[in-house]
Amino acid sequence: MQQNNISKQSGFSLIELLIVIVLVFIVTAFALANFDRSKVQLQRQNVARELKMYLDRARFDAVKRRAEGSSRSIVTIENNQSFSVTTDLNQDGTLNTATEKRTLNFTGSNAGRFVGISTFPVNIYFDRHGHAVDANNNLTNPSFTICNENCTNNQGAVSSNSTNSTLVRISSTGTVVISPGGYAATAPSNPTGLTNVSENANINPLVRVPAAN
């Protein structure tokens, strides 16, 4: 009589199955952590972009209205999680700080917070030339760090980097630049080789820039 050989079928043992489950769990946990971190960074960057957009709008509004004195456009850092913008919203040529102030608040979100500011509020004014000035009309070049983590040390100094913060810089001429936290930008040097030209010089009046009033 012929005897049939029964082949043994191989399979996963319980230990091997548990190892696979643990590996899947670890990979999933890392993926979720990276996703949450990317989401928080995106929210922080969106706040920085929105701040830049409103700074640019305030500057344009001031130039358009040739604003001076109390009519200057204003961007105010109200506290560590909100800022406001005061511009000529109804476009009637005048500035009404009581009705034309818009506040943007990101309290309670993961969008981050302003750090390194000792006293609130902080006002940035824009004059008729689009320059960033302080309350006394002196040129200023503030910078603001938006951090989505605790990026200050025990002494309150900002310790930011490209992964935990975003920097918004405003030059005295009103130009607004966004850069990663921890980025040290070099200040541009003053132009050289310039000479003053008398207004009575033989210059085509169509190309002459008139003096500011």
Side-chain angles (χ1 to χ4, degrees):
M1 183 176 65
Q2 184 178 3
Q3 184 178 2
N4 294 327
N5 293 326
I6 301 176
S7 61
K8 295 182 179 180
Q9 295 182 351
S10 61
F12 293 108
S13 67
L14 180 59
I15 295 178
E16 291 173 331
L17 185 59
L18 288 175
I19 292 174
V20 171
I21 292 175
V22 169
L23 290 176
V24 170
F25 177 80
I26 293 174
V27 172
T28 303
F30 272 112
L32 291 176
N34 289 332
F35 174 78
D36 289 340
R37 189 178 300 110
S38 299
K39 183 179 179 180
V40 168
Q41 290 178 355
L42 181 61
Q43 290 175 328
R44 184 194 71 235
Q45 292 166 0
N46 285 339
V47 171
R49 292 189 194 99
E50 198 162 17
L51 176 60
K52 179 185 186 305
M53 178 185 70
Y54 281 106
L55 285 165
D56 288 335
R57 284 187 180 181
R59 182 190 186 198
F60 176 77
D61 174 74
V63 173
K64 180 180 66 174
R65 293 185 295 106
R66 299 181 65 81
E68 290 291 355
S70 60
S71 69
R72 295 172 298 181
S73 304
I74 312 169
V75 175
T76 302
I77 309 300
E78 301 284 354
N79 53 56
N80 63 357
Q81 283 194 294
S82 70
F83 64 91
S84 64
V85 185
T86 307
T87 57
D88 181 22
L89 293 177
N90 59 12
Q91 300 185 17
D92 62 354
T94 60
L95 191 68
N96 188 330
T97 56
T99 60
E100 296 183 306
K101 178 179 179 179
R102 180 181 181 186
T103 301
L104 294 94
N105 193 320
F106 46 97
T107 302
S109 70
N110 292 324
R113 62 189 65 243
F114 293 104
V115 297
I117 300 176
S118 57
T119 305
F120 293 99
V122 179
N123 293 314
I124 306 101
Y125 301 87
F126 290 93
D127 64 14
R128 61 187 295 183
H129 305 292
H131 295 163
V133 294
D134 60 18
N136 298 319
N137 214 41
N138 298 314
L139 292 176
T140 183
N141 56 345
S143 62
F144 302 102
T145 300
I146 304 171
C147 187
N148 64 331
E149 298 176 10
N150 185 16
C151 56
T152 56
N153 58 26
N154 295 332
Q155 289 74 38
V158 178
S159 178
S160 59
N161 54 57
S162 59
T163 60
N164 67 8
S165 60
T166 303
L167 186 64
V168 180
R169 299 173 183 266
I170 310 167
S171 72
S172 57
T173 58
T175 303
V176 184
V177 177
I178 297 178
S179 61
Y183 174 75
T186 56
S189 59
N190 294 326
T192 58
L194 301 180
T195 57
N196 294 325
V197 179
S198 172
E199 293 185 0
N200 298 323
N202 187 18
I203 300 174
N204 188 337
L206 296 179
V207 299
R208 183 173 64 87
V209 178
N213 295 327

